[in-house]
Amino acid sequence: LLRSVVESIVEVYGYTHASVYILEGETLILQHQVGYRDVIEHIGIHEGISGRVARTGLPMLVEDVAGNPEFLGTVENIASEITVPLLDEGRVAGTLSVESIHKLTEEDLRVLVALGAEAGMAVGRARLYEDVQRRNRTLSALQESALAIMGHLGLPEALQAILAQAAQLINTEHGYIYLVRAGSTLQLTTGVGVYPKFVGITLESGEGLAGKVWGTAQPLIANDYLNWEGRSLKFEGSPFHAVMGIPLLRNAQVIGVLGLAHLIPGKAFHQADVELLS
């Protein structure tokens, strides 16, 4: 969808440089671009003209970028930039930008605002479609999990079935399950993706993300895991960018922790993921 939006703008209106970003948390993540050799993959909402638009929800025409300290330039001789917000139910979902070696005008701004409004509605429709698909996957995964668990009498097989379905549900390939051992330590018992090499690692209550989930009996998300102060040194050098953990409860007691991870920069976990896994 977003690729079509950008390429259509270039084809129909003749702009040479166009890009579209989707907002994840406080970071704009590049989805597609035309005309750039050097691209900016991630833009914080406090960076650049696009960041300002994402932060304020207001379109912005910069006729002379040379006089704007917020301009993030990767192409020589760019004269002007227009960035407009993509709104989904009144909230900023992303940004649409064009840059030009020629001066852009208020007429260009009106065109981009109209295109941004259409693109925003299309993003909203795509989000609703994905929500329906996600709910269908949820029901399917829950059913498959129940069948898989009932089909395994052994604990290792049951844990692997739970983990595989959880990873499928949240659309990742990396996850783990810790179990409380003798009430005193938390041991990584099974894992998928990058986690099998960590099987056997133990944590104390409050140590690392899983240890904090164990100690508080509450879900926890660390979407900037590399800079998260609470990470355990036992996972130093691991490739995780975002990690989440959910307590496994029996009779209100934490008996383990189910967790998943993203290795792709900018990919984040959300409250909806917590609700599904819970």
Side-chain angles (χ1 to χ4, degrees):
L1 169 66
L2 297 176
R3 184 182 301 112
S4 297
V5 168
V6 172
E7 293 180 354
S8 296
I9 287 173
V10 171
E11 180 180 354
V12 175
Y13 293 94
Y15 297 118
T16 56
H17 298 82
S19 60
V20 62
Y21 288 77
I22 287 296
L23 186 63
E24 291 278 358
E26 295 192 344
T27 304
L28 289 164
I29 301 174
L30 180 67
Q31 303 298 307
H32 192 60
Q33 60 81 24
V34 171
Y36 296 90
R37 179 186 301 175
D38 299 318
V39 299
I40 302 177
E41 298 283 352
H42 304 93
I43 301 174
I45 61 172
H46 298 287
E47 300 175 316
I49 295 166
S50 294
R52 176 182 289 274
V53 170
R55 196 169 66 249
T56 64
L58 300 175
M60 192 170 177
L61 163 63
V62 181
E63 296 181 354
D64 180 13
V65 297
N68 191 305
E70 292 182 311
F71 176 66
L72 302 175
T74 61
V75 179
E76 292 184 2
N77 301 321
I78 290 295
S80 299
E81 175 181 339
I82 292 174
T83 297
V84 299
L86 304 181
L87 300 177
D88 180 11
E89 295 185 345
R91 299 168 60 182
V92 176
T95 59
L96 175 64
S97 299
V98 297
E99 294 179 348
S100 175
I101 60 174
H102 305 293
K103 182 178 179 179
L104 297 172
T105 66
E106 292 289 340
E107 178 60 27
D108 293 299
L109 177 61
R110 285 191 288 272
V111 168
L112 264 294
V113 167
L115 291 172
E118 291 292 330
M121 287 190 288
V123 167
R125 288 194 295 270
R127 178 184 57 79
L128 291 174
Y129 174 77
E130 288 185 348
D131 286 345
V132 171
Q133 296 295 94
R134 187 179 301 110
R135 284 194 292 270
N136 288 341
R137 288 198 302 270
T138 300
L139 293 174
S140 176
L142 290 174
Q143 182 183 32
E144 290 178 20
S145 295
L147 292 173
I149 294 167
M150 288 187 292
H152 294 294
L153 296 179
L155 180 61
E157 293 84 3
L159 292 178
Q160 196 66 31
I162 293 169
L163 185 53
Q165 294 302 326
Q168 176 186 333
L169 189 62
I170 305 300
N171 193 26
T172 184
E173 298 177 352
H174 310 279
Y176 59 86
I177 291 179
Y178 279 88
L179 292 181
V180 176
R181 296 300 189 189
S184 59
T185 60
L186 196 65
Q187 184 177 52
L188 203 156
T189 305
T190 188
V192 295
V194 298
Y195 277 98
K197 67 179 180 180
F198 298 115
V199 168
I201 284 180
T202 60
L203 300 175
E204 303 296 325
S205 179
E207 181 184 1
L209 186 136
K212 286 179 171 56
V213 172
W214 178 25
T216 63
Q218 296 295 323
L220 181 60
I221 293 175
N223 276 328
D224 187 12
Y225 183 78
L226 293 176
N227 296 310
W228 184 57
E229 294 180 354
R231 71 184 188 278
S232 171
L233 294 178
K234 294 175 181 176
F235 294 98
E236 196 67 25
S238 61
F240 314 134
H241 284 274
V243 180
M244 70 179 299
I246 303 290
L248 302 178
L249 302 171
R250 184 175 64 198
N251 299 327
Q253 295 295 315
V254 178
I255 62 169
V257 175
L258 167 65
L260 297 171
H262 288 311
L263 273 62
I264 301 173
K267 196 169 183 181
F269 292 109
H270 306 283
Q271 183 59 31
D273 299 321
V274 171
E275 293 170 1
L276 285 177
L277 282 190
S278 295

